[in-house]
Amino acid sequence: MKYILVDYESVGTKGLEKLDQIENTDELVILYSKNMPYVSIDLLNAVHELGTGIFKKVLYTGENSLSNVLCMLVGQKMEAFAGSFLEVVVISESENYDILKERIESSTAGPRKAKTGYKRYKTIQEMILNS
């Protein structure tokens, strides 16, 4: 299972092309804020059809608010998958998320955390091509 987190403000609709090729066992979370108020009906329908995808509006404002929420969600999921393996994938143009790789992969699995792999891609298409 992949836990796919999308910085929608970074990639927009173009970064989500080929959504229909995501595995139905993967979980998709698309993060956005008031800075990106428009979401197309087609995209909403595509995410709904996946069955495992959600849009999450970040209500916090300020610098790096999406990044902070994304990191919090990763931590919660690592705890939920305690004792097993979790593959975290971030879809974003921003290289700021790359610092997560070292932090996540250096975290030891234990009774409260999952052993976690991390990858960042600029688009869903890139993720599919490299899987």
Side-chain angles (χ1 to χ4, degrees), residues 6-16 30-40 43-44 55-58 60-61 65-66:
V6 178
D7 181 341
Y8 186 62
E9 293 178 6
S10 172
V11 300
T13 304
K14 187 163 175 66
L16 294 174
I30 301 172
L31 299 167
Y32 70 101
S33 73
K34 68 178 187 166
N35 296 332
M36 187 68 124
Y38 173 77
V39 177
S40 76
L43 181 57
L44 287 171
F55 278 90
K56 187 175 225 34
K57 184 171 185 177
V58 175
Y60 309 108
T61 57
S65 60
L66 284 181

Side-chain angles (χ1 to χ4, degrees), residues 76-120:
Q76 287 175 338
K77 190 58 79 169
M78 286 175 71
E79 194 168 307
F81 271 68
S84 59
F85 181 77
L86 174 66
E87 185 176 353
V88 173
V89 176
V90 172
I91 307 295
S92 178
E93 293 272 338
S94 175
E95 294 178 1
N96 291 341
Y97 292 109
D98 292 347
I99 198 162
L100 278 173
K101 181 175 178 60
E102 181 182 331
R103 181 76 173 138
I104 287 172
E105 292 184 349
S106 69
S107 176
T108 56
R112 295 200 53 212
K113 290 188 239 169
K115 176 66 180 161
T116 308
Y118 173 86
K119 293 180 182 167
R120 181 185 62 85

Side-chain angles (χ1 to χ4, degrees), residues 9-28:
E9 293 178 6
S10 172
V11 300
T13 304
K14 187 163 175 66
L16 294 174
E17 291 173 2
K18 307 281 186 198
L19 243 143
D20 60 335
Q21 294 182 23
I22 291 176
E23 299 291 327
N24 62 359
T25 56
D26 295 340
E27 187 175 341
L28 174 71

